[in-house]
Amino acid sequence: MPLDDQTAMTLRRDIYGKGAAIKTDLSRLLDMSRAQGPTSEAFADLLAEVATDVLVNEVDPPKYIRQADADWLVAQLTTEGGVPGLLALDVLTRVIRSAVSVPPSLAAFGVTQIERAIVSGAGRVTPDDLEALRTVVYAATQDSALHVTRESAEALFRIADATIDADNDPAFDEFFAQAIGNYLMGVAFRWTSTAAEAKRIENWLDAPAPGIGGFFSSMLDFSRIPDDVDPDAAQNAADAEATAKAEVIDAGEADWLIARLRRDGVISHAERRLLRFLRDESPAIAPALSALMESGDADAPRQPVL
């Protein structure tokens, strides 16, 4: 069966005509994509929509991708015969973009798949590649939100090295600088609850209100806190201290960065932008990295590392 627009329309009617999409529907579409190869845009949209419904929207609680489902999706996308690369990337990015909490393993898998597609494909970072990178690199994981991981930072350096002479999207350099800067200077504040915690909170909110004594006993007694004291002041102060500490580029971070800058013997445009970003944003930088920055003009174009 060719995976054309007509086929996609028929499949959509079959899947959603019975109600919500289920994992069996998703498995069927994935099997078809592996067997048939090239697909129409309509089929690709259907596959991504069903994957999002099954793995993100129809779970309990919604929007929290479960680890088991993430593992299942990775296995489906990497099984023998594999889902075509661009189709698999579309599914991954749309699923991750739709969730409020993603297992770190799924985000890491997404980054490596995009890296592979860039390096083995056009050999440059296209606007679509950059949008996909933004989605997975800043995915809200179960550990933190908007914080770049070591795995993502390593992948971005490999992409920058592999495309050093390519006609990358002009926005890649800035994205690269901010993402690596985020890894080096950011704080992985935990913001998303686990699915179990989210469900517990949801059940508590939906439960019938208890007697007045039971209700107030389940809450923090703010009556003992003076009116002029912020109940979040201690946490805010701790967060501010953690942020200030993280913004310092210490010796270990400097060594990690220098090793990657020297790996191919040349500082690329993206890496040069990163150095300017760190120089402007970090309150203190380890001497080894400061010395490298001072060894050449940080605003200069690509040049050898001294």
Side-chain angles (χ1 to χ4, degrees):
M1 177 187 297
L3 304 182
D4 53 20
D5 289 357
Q6 183 59 48
T7 299
M9 185 181 302
T10 301
L11 289 168
R12 178 179 293 279
R13 190 162 50 243
D14 290 344
I15 292 171
Y16 288 102
K18 62 178 172 42
I22 58 177
K23 189 172 281 188
T24 302
D25 297 321
L26 179 53
S27 294
R28 178 188 177 194
L29 295 179
L30 289 167
D31 287 341
M32 293 176 70
S33 68
R34 280 190 289 268
Q36 300 297 324
T39 65
S40 69
E41 184 175 345
F43 181 87
D45 285 342
L46 176 62
L47 176 57
E49 181 179 340
V50 170
T52 301
D53 282 342
V54 170
L55 304 176
V56 181
N57 297 330
E58 301 299 332
V59 295
D60 185 24
K63 304 295 184 181
Y64 286 75
I65 300 179
R66 297 175 294 206
Q67 184 66 58
D69 286 341
D71 294 342
W72 179 87
L73 179 60
V74 169
Q76 289 291 316
L77 296 180
T78 56
T79 191
E80 186 176 355
V83 174
L86 293 179
L87 191 60
L89 280 180
D90 186 47
V91 170
L92 273 172
T93 54
R94 288 173 65 171
V95 163
I96 291 173
R97 188 180 298 124
S98 300
V100 299
S101 181
V102 177
S105 61
L106 185 61
F109 175 73
V111 173
T112 60
Q113 293 306 298
I114 297 170
E115 176 191 354
R116 181 177 302 173
I118 292 171
V119 174
S120 64
R124 66 186 184 90
V125 180
T126 68
D128 287 343
D129 294 331
L130 184 56
E131 184 60 30
L133 283 171
R134 289 187 196 280
T135 295
V136 297
V137 167
Y138 288 110
T141 70
Q142 292 165 355
D143 296 324
S144 65
L146 303 179
H147 181 67
V148 177
T149 65
R150 167 70 73 92
E151 293 82 2
S152 291
E154 296 278 10
L156 289 177
F157 263 107
R158 291 193 296 269
I159 291 170
D161 288 343
T163 63
I164 193 168
D165 292 316
D167 183 23
N168 288 336
D169 182 278
F172 175 71
D173 289 1
E174 189 68 22
F175 167 76
F176 174 86
Q178 292 182 0
I180 303 299
N182 177 296
Y183 164 66
L184 292 171
M185 299 169 57
V187 178
F189 290 120
R190 189 173 188 275
W191 80 287
T192 54
S193 64
T194 64
E197 289 171 336
K199 185 61 179 175
R200 177 179 57 79
I201 293 170
E202 178 183 295
N203 290 339
W204 182 80
L205 291 172
D206 290 342
I212 192 71
F215 179 79
F216 283 104
S217 66
S218 66
M219 300 174 63
L220 175 63
D221 184 8
F222 288 106
S223 64
R224 294 176 298 170
I225 301 176
D227 292 340
D228 60 344
V229 174
D230 179 0
D232 293 325
Q235 185 61 55
N236 291 341
D239 290 350
E241 182 180 355
T243 298
K245 182 178 180 180
E247 288 176 347
V248 173
I249 307 297
D250 62 29
E253 293 169 329
D255 289 344
W256 176 88
L257 178 55
I258 291 170
R260 276 136 197 86
L261 292 172
R262 286 179 168 162
R263 186 158 51 195
D264 60 359
V266 173
I267 297 182
S268 67
H269 291 285
E271 292 166 344
R272 187 67 48 185
R273 178 67 190 95
L274 168 62
L275 292 177
R276 294 199 306 271
F277 178 87
L278 296 178
R279 182 190 63 189
D280 294 343
E281 299 295 332
S282 178
I285 297 175
L289 183 57
S290 290
L292 185 145
M293 289 177 171
E294 294 168 3
S295 66
D297 181 5
D299 295 311
R302 165 184 168 181
Q303 62 185 47
V305 179
L306 299 181

